[in-house]
Amino acid sequence: MWNLTKQAKEKFSTCNTLPIHESEEEWEFSLRDAKEEGEDLISRLKEELEEVKGVLLQTLPDRFLPYVKNGTLNQPTLPKSVRDDYLQWMHEADKEFEHILDAAHEQTANAVTFLSKEVQDVFEESLHDSTIERIEREGDTLHLYINTDGGFSSKALIQFTFENVMAEEFEVPLEVGHWIVYYELQKTNDGFAFRVLFECPDSEWTISMRNLEACYYYRPALYTLLHHEEKLEETPFEEYIAQLNPDDHHWLHTPHVTCAFQSIAEPITLENGKLEVTQNEMIVTVENKSFTYDLEEVNPIQFIYTDVYEDPYAHLDEPLPMDEIEEAALCDNLELQVRAWNTMYANPLELAEIINRVLTKMTITEENEMMASVYANHFYNEGILTKDVIEKYRSLID
């Protein structure tokens, strides 16, 4: 029996169709902010309610329907008792779905213990917000390539191999681009079963097989750094290749083929094929089959992977000398700021005096409020803040 179902996901989504302000303080802040921005918040909220009115009338408990019909469910005039009741109803729906996800996670954690280390490695991190990049079928074997660039896994590309597939159930056939949001793996009497709920399109897919295998690849650290600096598009392919570590193994993975590099030094060669990059095209030839990619449509850099994980931001964990921390924490250089705050976070007792000076001088803004809250709470729990600093950050300390 599955914990995860499309119906459960739809119920959860429906119960969160119309979020509302949760307190008088939140209303005061939103109305003040809207006034400063010249926005008619009340009218916008009326439009938002009208857009989902039909869904709400069909799904909300009867006690909330009068406030949908008169348009006040998401307005400041909604009675506090009704607001609290509605928020509690939403909270209970959230908790119900959380229990479902927890049960699915527990089933998955149990099932992977019967599978290879590679599969266990994959499921140690989340597949949420990943997408299907390639689908290959060979008899009763299915190869599914998952791209996690938009997700939460350090493994940038995952290849699942479903062996001896016994059954497959779906509303919409699998297609490249399907967006994974939730999933559950189960151990069955004769193998395993895997269920995925997709967001785009909104559908459910379930497969049963004798065995599941996996392999995975990482992005080179250079890729991540260039991506975050928005320099990928302007970096020439040859220049990118030249900066990769020649001692690591690298793979070329395109929408049609996967093959290992024999050498990334000039001339660049593949183990079982040929790679040509011209001014306008990249041509990959493997086993007498050629695939051409227009460089105006794709960046060939995105096709390169490695089996070695490199933390692209490892240098940010390098501690700063004590006499540089205060100035760095308050400067405009983001990298120095991060290193300074990481140093203080890791050594609160030793650096208590510096930490209090920094927090005293720091100006709290809308942009840094969340960061300030995280650090203030950490240092408060460590018991190293002075009374003046505690008072300054009182509203941010839990």
Side-chain angles (χ1 to χ4, degrees):
M1 181 176 178
W2 291 99
N3 297 290
L4 207 58
T5 65
K6 181 184 174 185
Q7 290 73 24
K9 172 176 171 288
E10 289 175 342
K11 180 180 178 181
F12 167 71
S13 298
T14 299
C15 292
N16 286 272
T17 298
L18 186 73
I20 66 172
H21 289 70
E22 298 189 6
S23 65
E24 298 298 332
E25 292 76 14
E26 189 176 336
W27 267 116
E28 291 175 5
F29 176 82
S30 296
L31 289 169
R32 184 171 62 251
D33 189 55
K35 184 177 180 179
E36 292 174 357
E37 296 293 329
E39 178 191 14
D40 186 349
L41 178 62
I42 300 301
S43 295
R44 177 170 66 80
L45 292 176
K46 285 181 179 179
E47 292 175 1
E48 290 179 1
L49 174 56
E50 194 62 33
E51 288 176 1
V52 296
K53 187 174 183 179
V55 175
L56 296 175
L57 290 174
Q58 292 179 4
T59 58
L60 289 185
D62 291 345
R63 63 186 185 275
F64 299 127
L65 298 186
Y67 306 98
V68 176
K69 293 175 182 178
N70 67 17
T72 62
L73 185 59
N74 64 342
Q75 294 293 323
T77 54
L78 183 72
K80 182 179 184 301
S81 60
V82 179
R83 180 184 69 200
D84 292 345
D85 187 15
Y86 182 72
L87 291 170
Q88 180 61 29
W89 175 77
M90 291 180 64
H91 176 71
E92 290 173 357
D94 291 348
K95 293 296 291 184
E96 180 182 343
F97 193 61
E98 285 177 14
H99 289 320
I100 289 172
L101 294 180
D102 288 344
H105 177 77
E106 186 176 340
Q107 284 282 4
T108 301
N110 175 67
V112 297
T113 61
F114 297 92
L115 292 165
S116 67
K117 180 183 181 301
E118 288 75 16
V119 175
Q120 294 180 43
D121 289 345
V122 166
F123 282 101
E124 280 183 356
E125 298 180 289
S126 177
L127 299 177
H128 185 74
D129 282 352
S130 300
T131 56
I132 296 178
E133 184 169 289
R134 199 162 105 209
I135 303 168
E136 293 180 351
R137 297 182 185 272
E138 300 175 282
D140 61 357
T141 298
L142 169 65
H143 299 280
L144 209 57
Y145 294 80
I146 308 295
N147 186 308
T148 74
D149 279 348
F152 302 91
S153 177
S154 62
K155 302 165 183 63
L157 180 69
I158 298 166
Q159 179 186 345
F160 282 123
T161 300
F162 302 90
E163 299 176 344
N164 301 117
V165 174
M166 297 176 285
E168 194 173 351
E169 300 174 7
F170 51 82
E171 301 167 287
V172 179
L174 283 183
E175 291 184 7
V176 170
H178 277 196
W179 175 18
I180 298 170
V181 283
Y182 305 113
Y183 53 90
E184 180 177 354
L185 179 68
Q186 291 190 358
K187 178 75 178 73
T188 62
N189 292 332
D190 50 4
F192 301 87
F194 187 50
R195 170 168 289 182
V196 178
L197 301 185
F198 296 107
E199 188 69 30
C200 292
D202 184 13
S203 61
E204 178 183 289
W205 173 72
T206 308
I207 187 170
S208 301
M209 61 281 173
R210 300 288 185 189
N211 189 40
L212 174 63
E213 294 293 345
C215 61
Y216 48 85
Y217 308 88
Y218 301 100
R219 292 287 191 190
L222 177 62
Y223 178 95
T224 304
L225 291 171
L226 291 174
H227 174 70
H228 286 176
E229 294 171 3
E230 299 183 350
K231 295 180 179 179
L232 271 180
E233 296 303 320
E234 63 190 58
T235 302
F237 180 75
E238 295 79 7
E239 180 182 318
Y240 178 82
I241 287 283
Q243 295 181 68
L244 297 179
N245 187 341
D247 296 327
D248 291 343
H249 292 104
H250 293 90
W251 277 263
L252 182 74
H253 173 89
T254 79
H256 306 95
V257 65
T258 298
C259 50
F261 282 93
Q262 185 173 14
S263 172
I264 59 172
E266 289 292 343
I268 299 170
T269 55
L270 302 177
E271 285 188 355
N272 59 340
K274 182 180 179 183
L275 173 66
E276 299 174 81
V277 179
T278 68
Q279 185 175 356
N280 302 312
E281 296 178 331
M282 183 177 81
I283 304 168
V284 182
T285 305
V286 178
E287 297 178 352
N288 297 321
K289 292 182 180 179
S290 290
F291 304 93
T292 302
Y293 304 95
D294 189 333
L295 299 189
E296 291 187 0
E297 298 178 0
V298 299
N299 184 343
I301 290 174
Q302 73 189 57
F303 295 149
I304 300 176
Y305 295 83
T306 179
D307 61 357
V308 178
Y309 176 71
E310 300 173 298
D311 182 356
Y313 301 109
H315 62 287
L316 297 179
D317 290 326
E318 296 177 7
L320 281 174
M322 187 176 295
D323 60 351
E324 297 179 15
I325 293 173
E326 184 174 343
E327 181 179 354
L330 299 169
C331 75
D332 294 329
N333 185 309
L334 183 58
E335 184 172 310
L336 283 176
Q337 275 189 42
V338 172
R339 287 184 62 192
W341 285 99
N342 284 347
T343 304
M344 292 188 293
Y345 188 93
N347 305 278
L349 298 179
E350 179 185 353
L351 302 176
E353 186 176 339
I354 294 175
I355 290 168
N356 280 285
R357 285 205 304 270
V358 169
L359 291 175
T360 298
K361 296 178 181 180
M362 181 178 173
T363 301
I364 303 173
T365 65
E366 186 176 343
E367 289 74 22
N368 70 15
E369 184 177 12
M370 181 176 293
M371 185 268 292
S373 175
V374 170
Y375 285 106
N377 276 279
H378 174 68
F379 297 135
Y380 177 78
N381 291 331
E382 291 289 335
I384 58 108
L385 298 184
T386 65
K387 290 182 179 180
D388 289 343
V389 171
I390 292 174
E391 190 59 34
K392 176 180 178 179
Y393 291 85
R394 174 68 64 186
S395 63
L396 300 180
I397 295 174
D398 297 334

